[in-house]
Amino acid sequence: MYLLTVKEDFDAAHRIVGYPGKCDRLHGHCWTVEVSVEGNQLDKLGMVVDFKYLKSLVRDILNIYDHRYLNDLPDFADKNPTAEHIAAAIYHRVAAGLEGNASVKSVTVWESPGSSVIYSGE
């Protein structure tokens, strides 16, 4: 089994509605996202998936969130845009966009250098 990981960043604001503290107020983060995909079959070039393709897919997804107020986006219409919900939304978008033999293993979202969440599916 091969495990490939790409890492990208985006900046966005959010608030955690109902949170008993400062996070209920509008604030922002420079989010770092790591997407790991896995596969055991290599293509004719010897790749599970081309890093260029994977990075482009992840970048296109993160552009949906970049420099936005996350609470206003459809992905979070009925839930707070917590790091947990962001990781799950990205996971499902990557899974829908992958081609070939790869499948999503996990998505890690860092909301700060010392705080992250990993989502690995249902």
Side-chain angles (χ1 to χ4, degrees):
M1 182 69 65
Y2 299 93
L3 184 67
L4 293 77
T5 301
V6 297
K7 187 175 177 181
E8 294 285 340
D9 299 310
F10 72 98
D11 297 307
H14 72 154
R15 66 181 281 249
I16 308 302
V17 178
Y19 183 83
K22 291 188 230 180
C23 291
D24 189 28
R25 297 194 302 246
L26 175 65
H27 63 285
H29 299 279
C30 178
W31 306 85
T32 298
V33 176
E34 296 177 26
V35 174
S36 295
V37 301
E38 63 183 357
N40 56 14
Q41 283 187 290
L42 303 180
D43 66 13
K44 63 183 178 181
L45 296 174
M47 299 178 192
V48 173
V49 63
D50 187 344
F51 278 118
K52 181 179 176 182
Y53 170 78
L54 184 57
K55 286 182 79 65
S56 177
L57 173 63
V58 172
R59 187 76 248 151
D60 288 348
I61 292 166
L62 298 187
N63 281 337
I64 296 167
Y65 307 124
D66 192 36
H67 284 82
R68 301 289 303 270
Y69 177 51
L70 298 177
N71 296 65
D72 287 345
L73 299 180
D75 284 352
F76 311 108
D78 61 347
K79 57 184 150 268
N80 275 319
T82 60
E84 291 86 347
H85 286 146
I86 294 166
I90 293 168
Y91 177 100
H92 293 296
R93 286 181 178 274
V94 171
L98 271 180
E99 297 174 349
N101 301 315
S103 60
V104 185
K105 175 72 172 174
S106 65
V107 171
T108 304
V109 172
W110 294 85
E111 101 173 1
S112 70
S115 302
S116 71
V117 62
I118 299 172
Y119 181 79
S120 59
E122 306 296 333

